[in-house]
Amino acid sequence: GEDVEQSLFLSVREGDSSVINCTYTDSSSTYLYWYKQEPGAGLQLLTYIFSNMDMKQDQRLTVLLNKKDKHLSLRIADTQTGDSAIYFCAEIPDAGGTSYGKLTFGQGTILTVHP
Amino acid sequence: DAEITQSPRHKITETGRQVTLACHQTWNHNNMFWYRQDLGHGLRLIHYSYGVHDTNKGEVSDGYSVSRSNTEDLPLTLESAASSQTSVYFCASSRTSGATDTQYFGPGTRLTVL
């Protein structure tokens, strides 16, 4: 079945790196996503990675994918107080089948950045 | 600018009442989705639509219904509200079902059922 797991809380100091982890169970996942939710707002797509990639970098964000262990991580370099938000990992379990276009989300990780 | 809006942003209702949450997008997207967000569960899919007159059940569809009479709107109806339906509801839309087509999310509706 489809299951995406994240730890609920992460607290870091401003300027440090943050690493948010996610595990998934569906081996047929083709795309994996990171969304950010700021307080009182909807979700915003941060980045995504195709399953045939190991790493993707986009400015301060680095996504690492370990397909063998079904583990996805999001690293935020030089974390700022404005990065405080909830971060969701999500997958499309089977992009060409019955899950067409439907996202399965993890529980979300609440990132708190201290000055 | 194109956007996706939800109304109301906050709603308090009583158990047993029928409630309808509105979702409107101006991107002319084919796909629209309704999710509920609860602490410890992330977002769970309630219903979704791939086009006009198309509706499908998601993971947690019991007690909810949707209809798609035009491209822009996908209202979500709670037939008889229950306290377990107290949650934050998000609507989303995407142009196609392609995996790289971003889902755009509305700002959410906070619903409290007393």
Side-chain angles (χ1 to χ4, degrees):
Chain A
E2 308 149 8
D3 201 10
V4 181
E5 298 283 338
Q6 300 177 240
S7 53
L8 287 183
F9 301 100
L10 177 65
S11 180
V12 301
R13 192 167 296 172
E14 191 174 21
D16 288 350
S17 291
S18 307
V19 179
I20 302 171
N21 294 302
C22 170
T23 58
Y24 61 98
T25 57
D26 196 311
S27 59
S28 67
S29 293
T30 53
Y31 283 90
L32 295 130
Y33 306 81
W34 284 105
Y35 279 83
K36 177 183 181 182
Q37 182 184 29
E38 295 183 349
L43 277 70
Q44 176 186 13
L45 180 66
L46 278 180
T47 187
Y48 64 87
I49 188 167
F50 188 47
S51 61
N52 69 353
M53 299 168 64
D54 297 325
M55 184 182 87
K56 182 179 180 181
Q57 188 149 3
D58 184 2
Q59 299 182 330
R60 292 191 296 121
L61 305 179
T62 303
V63 179
L64 295 176
L65 176 60
N66 182 327
K67 282 186 66 179
K68 175 175 171 290
D69 295 336
K70 299 192 183 75
H71 182 266
L72 182 74
S73 68
L74 174 70
R75 178 177 181 269
I76 306 173
D78 187 25
T79 312
Q80 303 298 307
T81 54
D83 294 322
S84 293
I86 305 176
Y87 291 82
F88 291 94
C89 169
E91 63 170 358
I92 291 182
D94 176 9
T98 58
S99 301
Y100 200 41
K102 295 187 296 177
L103 290 164
T104 297
F105 287 88
Q107 305 95 319
T109 298
I110 301 172
L111 174 64
T112 303
V113 183
H114 298 285
Chain B
D1 284 344
E3 60 178 356
I4 182 166
T5 57
Q6 294 183 235
S7 62
R9 294 294 312 278
H10 302 272
K11 174 80 176 176
I12 300 174
T13 192
E14 295 176 339
T15 302
R17 299 239 183 193
Q18 185 182 79
V19 177
T20 296
L21 309 182
C23 175
H24 180 78
Q25 51 98 1
T26 59
W27 283 297
N28 205 36
H29 283 169
N30 289 322
N31 300 345
M32 296 184 74
F33 307 84
W34 273 105
Y35 297 89
R36 60 177 289 174
Q37 182 181 18
D38 304 287
L39 188 63
H41 290 281
L43 274 75
R44 292 180 290 176
L45 184 64
I46 305 171
H47 282 287
Y48 58 102
S49 167
Y50 289 141
V52 176
H53 301 311
D54 175 74
T55 61
N56 305 279
K57 294 181 179 181
E59 179 188 354
V60 290
S61 61
D62 287 349
Y64 303 94
S65 64
V66 292
S67 61
R68 187 91 180 270
S69 58
N70 58 52
T71 301
E72 296 80 18
D73 300 290
L74 187 70
L76 177 72
T77 297
L78 286 68
E79 303 292 346
S80 177
S83 57
S84 60
Q85 294 176 308
T86 292
S87 186
V88 181
Y89 291 86
F90 288 98
C91 179
S93 71
S94 64
R95 187 175 59 90
T96 72
S97 299
T100 56
D101 259 334
T102 303
Q103 284 192 24
Y104 293 90
F105 283 78
T109 295
R110 182 175 294 276
L111 177 68
T112 303
V113 183
L114 301 176

